[in-house]
Amino acid sequence: MNEEDRRFAVAAVQMVSGFAVEANLERADALIARAAAGGARLVALPEYFCLMGRRDTDKIDAAERPGRGPIQEFLAAQARRHGIWLLGGTLPLQSPDAGRIYNACLVFGPDGEVCMRYDKIHLFGFRREAESYDESATIRPGENAPPVFESPFGRVGLGICYDLRFPEFFRAQGDVRLMVLPAAFTYTTGSVHWEVLLRARAIENQCYVLASAQGGKHESGRRTWGHSMLIDPWGEILECLPEGEGVVAGVLEARRLEQVRESLPALRHRVM
């Protein structure tokens, strides 16, 4: 790893996406440009960055075929234009089920080519009083192997939103130096659980965690928690954006990661 890669700039984009795909892509364009202008070499968009619809079924109508469609073309062009690693939040891809889509995260290299695809495995279900969600009604769970790809900083692991609650999912990814989590956490669950779970994943895996979130009041009336953040391997929050659209940026330090792992070699102490 050369000196530049030992200090690797990253950014999480926070959005408050709405009903119109084209408008959401325009906002993402501006925010990606801001992150890249700030020096970020890896940029992560939030879950559902391209569409937060009136109804859960709206994403079925917007679903694209793998490798074809305006959303995928947009992401590829952004990665090429800025010469960055781009984690495309999530977008709806067609599945074998007529009434369900894959909630997919595509990772693009600086050449604009897809280097990894992950279809969300854990599907959120929640019911309390008048608030309820059932992702399995419109999303088909993925069947991917643990989602990991190689970056100049080292191995990067990936999860999407509800995956955050399953520590064994991330442990199965092996020794990663960065975990990235696009999300659209609800305000209700996020206000209590989001930061705790993100910091736990960083601490127990002794790696950086970059979380890119939806954060605000959407056109549908839904409210998401936001608090996109970058966390270091000791569990310290380096940067956070509580609400509204914007960019959370920071630099991953290889030396910092090595110091944490040397001083508290928990990963070597594992017996299971």
Side-chain angles (χ1 to χ4, degrees), residues 23-43:
N24 294 329
L25 297 187
E26 288 179 1
R27 294 309 307 147
D29 181 304
L31 292 165
I32 293 168
R34 186 194 305 180
R41 297 172 62 194
L42 180 150
V43 177

mmCIF file of all heavy atoms in Angstrom, residues 23-43:
data_model
loop_
_atom_site.group_PDB
_atom_site.id
_atom_site.type_symbol
_atom_site.label_atom_id
_atom_site.label_comp_id
_atom_site.label_asym_id
_atom_site.label_seq_id
_atom_site.Cartn_x
_atom_site.Cartn_y
_atom_site.Cartn_z
ATOM 1 N N ALA A 23 -35.303 14.141 -10.683
ATOM 2 C CA ALA A 23 -34.932 15.168 -9.701
ATOM 3 C C ALA A 23 -33.957 14.616 -8.674
ATOM 4 O O ALA A 23 -33.017 15.308 -8.256
ATOM 5 C CB ALA A 23 -36.183 15.700 -9.012
ATOM 6 N N ASN A 24 -34.152 13.382 -8.263
ATOM 7 C CA ASN A 24 -33.240 12.762 -7.296
ATOM 8 C C ASN A 24 -31.844 12.594 -7.897
ATOM 9 O O ASN A 24 -30.834 12.789 -7.209
ATOM 10 C CB ASN A 24 -33.786 11.407 -6.846
ATOM 11 C CG ASN A 24 -35.065 11.531 -6.046
ATOM 12 O OD1 ASN A 24 -35.282 12.511 -5.348
ATOM 13 N ND2 ASN A 24 -35.931 10.533 -6.158
ATOM 14 N N LEU A 25 -31.772 12.229 -9.163
ATOM 15 C CA LEU A 25 -30.471 12.082 -9.807
ATOM 16 C C LEU A 25 -29.768 13.437 -9.921
ATOM 17 O O LEU A 25 -28.538 13.516 -9.778
ATOM 18 C CB LEU A 25 -30.626 11.449 -11.186
ATOM 19 C CG LEU A 25 -31.188 10.016 -11.242
ATOM 20 C CD1 LEU A 25 -31.112 9.465 -12.661
ATOM 21 C CD2 LEU A 25 -30.477 9.091 -10.263
ATOM 22 N N GLU A 26 -30.532 14.493 -10.166
ATOM 23 C CA GLU A 26 -29.930 15.825 -10.236
ATOM 24 C C GLU A 26 -29.311 16.212 -8.902
ATOM 25 O O GLU A 26 -28.209 16.781 -8.843
ATOM 26 C CB GLU A 26 -30.980 16.853 -10.649
ATOM 27 C CG GLU A 26 -31.395 16.760 -12.110
ATOM 28 C CD GLU A 26 -32.457 17.781 -12.471
ATOM 29 O OE1 GLU A 26 -32.856 18.565 -11.576
ATOM 30 O OE2 GLU A 26 -32.880 17.805 -13.637
ATOM 31 N N ARG A 27 -30.015 15.935 -7.808
ATOM 32 C CA ARG A 27 -29.475 16.257 -6.486
ATOM 33 C C ARG A 27 -28.257 15.389 -6.183
ATOM 34 O O ARG A 27 -27.259 15.870 -5.633
ATOM 35 C CB ARG A 27 -30.540 16.058 -5.405
ATOM 36 C CG ARG A 27 -31.717 17.002 -5.480
ATOM 37 C CD ARG A 27 -31.273 18.438 -5.570
ATOM 38 N NE ARG A 27 -30.344 18.800 -4.506
ATOM 39 C CZ ARG A 27 -29.352 19.687 -4.651
ATOM 40 N NH1 ARG A 27 -29.140 20.269 -5.823
ATOM 41 N NH2 ARG A 27 -28.563 19.980 -3.633
ATOM 42 N N ALA A 28 -28.334 14.106 -6.535
ATOM 43 C CA ALA A 28 -27.189 13.221 -6.311
ATOM 44 C C ALA A 28 -25.978 13.695 -7.102
ATOM 45 O O ALA A 28 -24.847 13.661 -6.611
ATOM 46 C CB ALA A 28 -27.550 11.787 -6.693
ATOM 47 N N ASP A 29 -26.207 14.148 -8.332
ATOM 48 C CA ASP A 29 -25.127 14.665 -9.177
ATOM 49 C C ASP A 29 -24.374 15.781 -8.456
ATOM 50 O O ASP A 29 -23.135 15.784 -8.382
ATOM 51 C CB ASP A 29 -25.725 15.176 -10.484
ATOM 52 C CG ASP A 29 -24.698 15.724 -11.458
ATOM 53 O OD1 ASP A 29 -23.940 16.635 -11.088
ATOM 54 O OD2 ASP A 29 -24.654 15.254 -12.601
ATOM 55 N N ALA A 30 -25.107 16.739 -7.906
ATOM 56 C CA ALA A 30 -24.479 17.875 -7.227
ATOM 57 C C ALA A 30 -23.727 17.445 -5.978
ATOM 58 O O ALA A 30 -22.632 17.945 -5.688
ATOM 59 C CB ALA A 30 -25.549 18.911 -6.872
ATOM 60 N N LEU A 31 -24.288 16.506 -5.239
ATOM 61 C CA LEU A 31 -23.664 16.079 -3.988
ATOM 62 C C LEU A 31 -22.434 15.212 -4.238
ATOM 63 O O LEU A 31 -21.434 15.306 -3.516
ATOM 64 C CB LEU A 31 -24.693 15.340 -3.133
ATOM 65 C CG LEU A 31 -25.818 16.239 -2.605
ATOM 66 C CD1 LEU A 31 -26.982 15.394 -2.094
ATOM 67 C CD2 LEU A 31 -25.311 17.165 -1.498
ATOM 68 N N ILE A 32 -22.490 14.373 -5.268
ATOM 69 C CA ILE A 32 -21.307 13.585 -5.636
ATOM 70 C C ILE A 32 -20.185 14.516 -6.071
ATOM 71 O O ILE A 32 -19.017 14.334 -5.694
ATOM 72 C CB ILE A 32 -21.648 12.583 -6.757
ATOM 73 C CG1 ILE A 32 -22.618 11.511 -6.243
ATOM 74 C CG2 ILE A 32 -20.380 11.923 -7.290
ATOM 75 C CD1 ILE A 32 -23.221 10.659 -7.347
ATOM 76 N N ALA A 33 -20.527 15.526 -6.872
ATOM 77 C CA ALA A 33 -19.525 16.496 -7.324
ATOM 78 C C ALA A 33 -18.886 17.214 -6.139
ATOM 79 O O ALA A 33 -17.668 17.452 -6.121
ATOM 80 C CB ALA A 33 -20.160 17.501 -8.283
ATOM 81 N N ARG A 34 -19.704 17.562 -5.142
ATOM 82 C CA ARG A 34 -19.166 18.227 -3.948
ATOM 83 C C ARG A 34 -18.193 17.312 -3.217
ATOM 84 O O ARG A 34 -17.107 17.744 -2.796
ATOM 85 C CB ARG A 34 -20.297 18.631 -3.006
ATOM 86 C CG ARG A 34 -19.824 19.446 -1.807
ATOM 87 C CD ARG A 34 -20.871 19.570 -0.714
ATOM 88 N NE ARG A 34 -22.129 20.097 -1.192
ATOM 89 C CZ ARG A 34 -23.192 20.281 -0.397
ATOM 90 N NH1 ARG A 34 -23.116 19.935 0.895
ATOM 91 N NH2 ARG A 34 -24.308 20.763 -0.890
ATOM 92 N N ALA A 35 -18.570 16.037 -3.079
ATOM 93 C CA ALA A 35 -17.697 15.081 -2.389
ATOM 94 C C ALA A 35 -16.390 14.886 -3.144
ATOM 95 O O ALA A 35 -15.304 14.871 -2.548
ATOM 96 C CB ALA A 35 -18.423 13.747 -2.226
ATOM 97 N N ALA A 36 -16.482 14.745 -4.464
ATOM 98 C CA ALA A 36 -15.284 14.531 -5.271
ATOM 99 C C ALA A 36 -14.383 15.768 -5.259
ATOM 100 O O ALA A 36 -13.154 15.656 -5.197
ATOM 101 C CB ALA A 36 -15.673 14.175 -6.700
ATOM 102 N N ALA A 37 -14.983 16.956 -5.304
ATOM 103 C CA ALA A 37 -14.196 18.184 -5.258
ATOM 104 C C ALA A 37 -13.451 18.324 -3.940
ATOM 105 O O ALA A 37 -12.384 18.951 -3.881
ATOM 106 C CB ALA A 37 -15.103 19.397 -5.479
ATOM 107 N N GLY A 38 -14.002 17.723 -2.894
ATOM 108 C CA GLY A 38 -13.352 17.736 -1.594
ATOM 109 C C GLY A 38 -12.253 16.701 -1.450
ATOM 110 O O GLY A 38 -11.629 16.602 -0.389
ATOM 111 N N GLY A 39 -12.044 15.909 -2.506
ATOM 112 C CA GLY A 39 -10.947 14.944 -2.496
ATOM 113 C C GLY A 39 -11.337 13.508 -2.244
ATOM 114 O O GLY A 39 -10.471 12.632 -2.198
ATOM 115 N N ALA A 40 -12.630 13.225 -2.087
ATOM 116 C CA ALA A 40 -13.056 11.856 -1.799
ATOM 117 C C ALA A 40 -12.728 10.935 -2.962
ATOM 118 O O ALA A 40 -13.021 11.238 -4.115
ATOM 119 C CB ALA A 40 -14.549 11.813 -1.505
ATOM 120 N N ARG A 41 -12.156 9.788 -2.647
ATOM 121 C CA ARG A 41 -11.849 8.772 -3.657
ATOM 122 C C ARG A 41 -12.897 7.663 -3.655
ATOM 123 O O ARG A 41 -12.978 6.883 -4.602
ATOM 124 C CB ARG A 41 -10.463 8.202 -3.408
ATOM 125 C CG ARG A 41 -9.360 9.250 -3.545
ATOM 126 C CD ARG A 41 -8.016 8.720 -3.114
ATOM 127 N NE ARG A 41 -7.599 7.596 -3.948
ATOM 128 C CZ ARG A 41 -6.595 6.776 -3.627
ATOM 129 N NH1 ARG A 41 -5.941 6.935 -2.484
ATOM 130 N NH2 ARG A 41 -6.261 5.785 -4.430
ATOM 131 N N LEU A 42 -13.657 7.571 -2.588
ATOM 132 C CA LEU A 42 -14.785 6.647 -2.501
ATOM 133 C C LEU A 42 -15.976 7.423 -1.970
ATOM 134 O O LEU A 42 -15.859 8.116 -0.948
ATOM 135 C CB LEU A 42 -14.450 5.467 -1.589
ATOM 136 C CG LEU A 42 -15.533 4.393 -1.393
ATOM 137 C CD1 LEU A 42 -14.892 3.018 -1.131
ATOM 138 C CD2 LEU A 42 -16.480 4.725 -0.235
ATOM 139 N N VAL A 43 -17.107 7.330 -2.669
ATOM 140 C CA VAL A 43 -18.319 8.059 -2.305
ATOM 141 C C VAL A 43 -19.473 7.071 -2.213
ATOM 142 O O VAL A 43 -19.654 6.228 -3.102
ATOM 143 C CB VAL A 43 -18.652 9.158 -3.337
ATOM 144 C CG1 VAL A 43 -19.953 9.865 -2.974
ATOM 145 C CG2 VAL A 43 -17.503 10.161 -3.437
#
